[in-house]
DNA sequence: TTAATTTACGCAATCGATTCCGTTAACTAT
DNA sequence: ATAGTTAACGGAATCGATTGCGTAAATTAA
């Protein structure tokens, strides 16, 4: 098949009897080009079907107007919303978004990091993989003055921009919510403890118990690997069959929380009467399960938007190695049926 | 802060006393460079921290090893899985993935199209926006020999690669499934009829009714705009309050189907006994709602993988304008509790 | 009226990798 | 031993946009 030739600024220059410099400047609204000329050139460009070559511009400027995103998995409600927020903000500013998923593997994270670097991204937004501990693969970005924004699953030992929620307070509030509902023995489904988000949530849980004089028992705290449905199911069954079962569960995510509800129901344990449950994330399934799941809501899309803005606003001058600029967003306890022990809630509508 | 200088093939050339040509060829395993030299150069490159500049290579080759993705919204389970499949396949082949969402607006689709074009993507994967009718904004890709793969929401009037599921058969089977369960008056929640996916599902529904001698009634077919939860709620209420309510609903997506289940329960209509429901997509909520939602499952991630492969395998020589290469994938009826009228299903496990 | 600006543009180098042509030296065949 | 190959590499143009520097003409200031 026949391939149409690309129209370049040189073609425009020849056609309009201007130099390529003038064409370039006109298209970028440079002030030293007269209004008339700009109008003329832009109209001709439009008519001739000119389209800028981002690769050429990027090469010259050594950046690509592209934001790189490095996350664990796309098909999780939180991540999808995060990306959605990033994409919207980036595109409004004329930026592209490159995505890559690590599938929670350290190795993939490194390799994706390199690929993104090779593409001369303007900035990088990262949510760490489950496995990641070492952080050297991010150093080259710092060395080059390329901003990195860590979101949600952030490192402890690396100075950079960070956008997080207040996991400690969220964990504290969720637990306190259960206590206020009358729970006396509250279990916790904890995520991998080397990831600060899960560690903070657990801290909040522990402090809430302490401050309210409730027992802290090792066998009420289950350390999950992935907080999957299956893991949740197994853990719930074990807890409920134990000699002294809990009357409340604070799960570090909704998936495991939902599995707890379903498992309890199957075992004839009433939720919330005998077992109150609160999750984390406010995934779509939370409002669908019955009884509907109380949870902690994230402003996921907003976190994405803020992260993107961090990159866009980043000026090389204000970037000082050794300083972390952390944005902490608030969360909200969504009290649904799965935790409301005292009052029977009327169905809305 | 101090910015580290980039290491280029020229730096390597100077350091190793080779020409840039040789460095370039060595890094690409060109056959006319000796094994020894290749090894030497690669090791030096590694040690000096050389990283290729994709922009420069892209400019020279006039392509960027990047696949562009243009969809309506990322934060939908189907779309997220689709992208996930694309990303995995692309990355394995050393390609990057650029994403952009139209939010179902025609205008955004055009503008995103242009931005992706300007980035010299190797190929484009598209799921059309709800609004899109005209297709000229894709023409420039065809003119340039850049392959386009339409996925799921594909056009009727544009020749290109297409990856779809057999919506007609799926619609037919879903309806037939309800009929086999004893339904006599089956309603249909239909999506926007100018999008072929929804049109096909409806066709399948109609043919199934016809072939089984069931009544086709206009007031049993609801045309939705977005198949949202709210729309589904409203439609269900209206249907169930009508003089002659349906005993089955085939919804073109799960969201509306779930809303139907919840609405029915609230109104005291038993599911599936009085109202059987089957949805479409097999979203996570489908297995969480109670009774669990029967549905039609998509191989979303696989569709993404196939689409990406189409781009990767595309050779300019084999691309013939005027021909559509369509890949049709099968679907599967997932029979859960919401549609099983006859037999009471034992809870698994 | 003349010097000092300002306006509006052109020249040419530059970004980094690729690749079409060579070229030299070593090697093989007859 | 000489022509013919092959192996291994170098020179330099090229991709398209950007930009520091330079300049001629037009305008303003004194």
């Amino acid at each position: 098949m026949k391939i149409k030739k690309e129209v370049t600024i040189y073609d425009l220059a020849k056609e309009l009897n201007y130099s390529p410099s003038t064409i370039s400047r006109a298209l970028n609204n440079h002030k030293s080009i007269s209004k008339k000329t700009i109008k003329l050139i832009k109209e001709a460009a439009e008519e001739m079907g000119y389209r800028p070559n981002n690769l050429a511009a990027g090469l010259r400027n050594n950046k690509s107007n592209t934001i790189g995103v490095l996350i664990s998995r796309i098909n999780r409600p939180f991540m999808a919303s995060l990306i959605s927020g990033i994409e919207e903000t980036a595109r409004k500013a004329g930026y592209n978004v490159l995505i890559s998923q690590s599938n929670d593997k350290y190795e993939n994270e490194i390799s994706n990091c390199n690929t993104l670097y090779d593409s001369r991204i303007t900035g990088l937004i990262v949510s760490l993989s489950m496995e990641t501990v070492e952080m050297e693969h991010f150093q080259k970005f710092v060395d080059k003055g390329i901003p990195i924004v860590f979101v949600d699953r952030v490192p402890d030992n690396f100075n950079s921009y960070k956008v997080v929620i207040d996991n400690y307070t969220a964990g504290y509030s969720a637990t306190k919510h259960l206590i206020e509902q009358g729970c006396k023995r509250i279990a916790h489904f904890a995520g991998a403890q080397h990831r600060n988000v899960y560690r903070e949530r657990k801290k909040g849980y522990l402090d809430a118990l302490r401050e309210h004089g409730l027992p802290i028992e090792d066998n009420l705290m289950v350390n999950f690997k992935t907080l999957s449905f299956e893991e949740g199911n197994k853990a719930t069954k074990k807890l409920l069959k134990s000699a002294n079962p809990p009357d409340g569960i604070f799960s570090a995510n909704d998936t495991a929380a939902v599995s707890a509800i379903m498992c309890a129901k199957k075992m004839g344990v009433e939720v919330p009467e005998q077992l109150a449950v609160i999750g984390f994330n406010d995934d779509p399934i939370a409002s669908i399960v019955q009884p509907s799941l109380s949870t902690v809501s994230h402003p996921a899309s907003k976190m994405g938007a803020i992260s993107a803005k961090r990159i866009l606003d980043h000026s090389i001058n204000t970037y000082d190695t050794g300083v972390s600029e952390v944005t902490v967003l608030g969360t909200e306890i969504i009290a649904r049926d799965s935790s409301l022990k005292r009052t029977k809630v009327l169905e809305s509508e």
Side-chain angles (χ1 to χ4, degrees), chain A:
Chain A
M1 65 174 294
K2 180 106 167 292
I3 305 292
K4 260 197 205 163
K5 188 77 177 69
E6 209 92 42
V7 178
T8 72
I9 56 170
Y10 294 94
D11 300 326
L12 284 172
K14 204 163 289 174
E15 183 71 21
L16 301 177
N17 264 31
Y18 276 112
S19 77
S21 334
T22 302
I23 305 290
S24 170
R25 286 194 258 255
L27 293 173
N28 290 306
N29 296 312
H30 195 285
K31 60 185 170 190
S32 79
I33 307 293
S34 72
K35 306 282 178 199
K36 265 193 312 199
T37 313
I38 291 186
K39 184 153 179 280
L40 180 79
I41 291 179
K42 283 194 172 176
E43 283 173 359
E46 174 73 28
E47 195 193 349
M48 291 176 64
Y50 168 79
R51 285 265 99 206
N53 187 324
N54 285 344
L55 295 174
L59 172 59
R60 171 62 215 238
N61 300 327
N62 198 31
K63 59 161 193 162
S64 63
N65 272 58
T66 296
I67 293 180
V69 178
L70 178 44
I71 56 171
S72 53
R73 298 192 148 81
I74 299 167
N75 54 351
R76 298 283 160 83
F78 173 72
M79 288 301 174
S81 294
L82 183 79
I83 299 176
S84 185
I86 293 172
E87 197 269 347
E88 260 178 54
T89 318
R91 197 151 301 281
K92 269 182 207 153
Y95 279 66
N96 272 320
V97 179
L98 270 180
I99 52 159
S100 67
Q101 39 187 358
S102 66
N103 282 313
D104 276 323
K105 304 284 263 310
Y106 176 54
E107 223 175 273
N108 292 341
E109 193 173 285
I110 293 181
S111 130
N112 292 351
C113 238
N114 286 332
T115 313
L116 291 176
Y117 178 83
D118 297 348
S119 296
R120 298 315 189 256
I121 53 175
T122 306
L124 178 63
I125 298 176
V126 186
S127 184
L128 292 175
S129 91
M130 259 330 181
E131 296 182 356
T132 305
V133 178
E134 296 294 334
M135 299 288 290
E136 323 97 27
H137 49 304
F138 295 113
Q139 191 56 44
K140 62 162 73 73
F141 290 96
V142 176
D143 292 343
K144 278 272 301 162
I146 299 171
I148 307 180
V149 180
F150 291 98
V151 195
D152 195 46
R153 302 206 311 219
V154 305
D156 302 310
N157 52 345
F158 199 89
N159 294 308
S160 186
Y161 291 120
K162 292 173 189 174
V163 176
V164 294
I165 54 167
D166 187 346
N167 284 288
Y168 172 80
T169 302
Y172 182 90
S173 303
T175 310
K176 191 174 163 205
H177 169 76
L178 291 180
I179 296 173
E180 285 169 354
Q181 295 301 313
C183 293
K184 300 292 180 200
R185 288 180 55 76
I186 301 175
H188 179 45
F189 287 0
Q193 289 297 300
H194 63 280
R195 279 280 76 90
N196 64 323
V197 286
Y198 301 120
R199 205 166 53 234
E200 292 295 317
R201 289 173 202 177
K202 186 171 183 178
K203 256 194 215 162
Y205 157 80
L206 291 172
D207 279 1
L209 292 186
R210 266 187 218 109
E211 287 184 21
H212 293 81
L214 291 185
I216 293 177
E217 290 181 31
D218 269 352
N219 48 357
L220 285 181
M221 294 179 291
V222 188
N223 279 317
F224 282 65
K225 284 194 65 176
T226 64
L227 290 165
S228 69
F229 198 90
E230 293 71 26
E231 268 187 294
N233 213 42
K234 200 174 291 178
T236 308
K237 202 179 286 181
K238 192 174 166 195
L239 279 174
L240 293 181
K241 278 185 177 168
S242 71
N244 200 357
D247 58 1
I249 296 178
F250 163 41
S251 168
N253 83 356
D254 281 348
T255 308
V258 165
S259 75
I261 291 180
M262 297 181 77
C263 177
K265 281 169 69 177
K266 209 176 296 176
M267 293 175 68
V269 174
E270 280 183 67
V271 178
E273 288 75 11
Q274 295 174 267
L275 182 72
V277 180
I278 186 165
F280 211 109
N281 283 347
D282 198 17
D283 284 348
I285 51 169
S287 41
I288 301 300
V289 68
Q290 290 229 322
S292 58
L293 175 66
S294 299
T295 188
V296 178
S297 84
H298 270 205
S301 172
K302 191 174 172 187
M303 290 174 80
I306 291 177
S307 305
K309 225 168 262 157
R310 276 291 192 201
I311 305 269
L312 299 175
D313 294 348
H314 170 81
S315 149
I316 231 157
N317 311 314
T318 65
Y319 197 46
D320 205 352
T321 322
V323 176
S324 283
E325 278 197 53
V326 184
T327 307
V328 182
L329 302 183
T331 57
E332 203 184 335
I333 301 286
I334 310 280
R336 297 206 180 90
D337 299 339
S338 71
S339 68
L340 298 178
K341 285 210 176 186
R342 304 221 169 122
T343 336
K344 265 285 178 197
V345 183
L346 297 174
E347 300 267 310
S348 60
E349 256 237 323

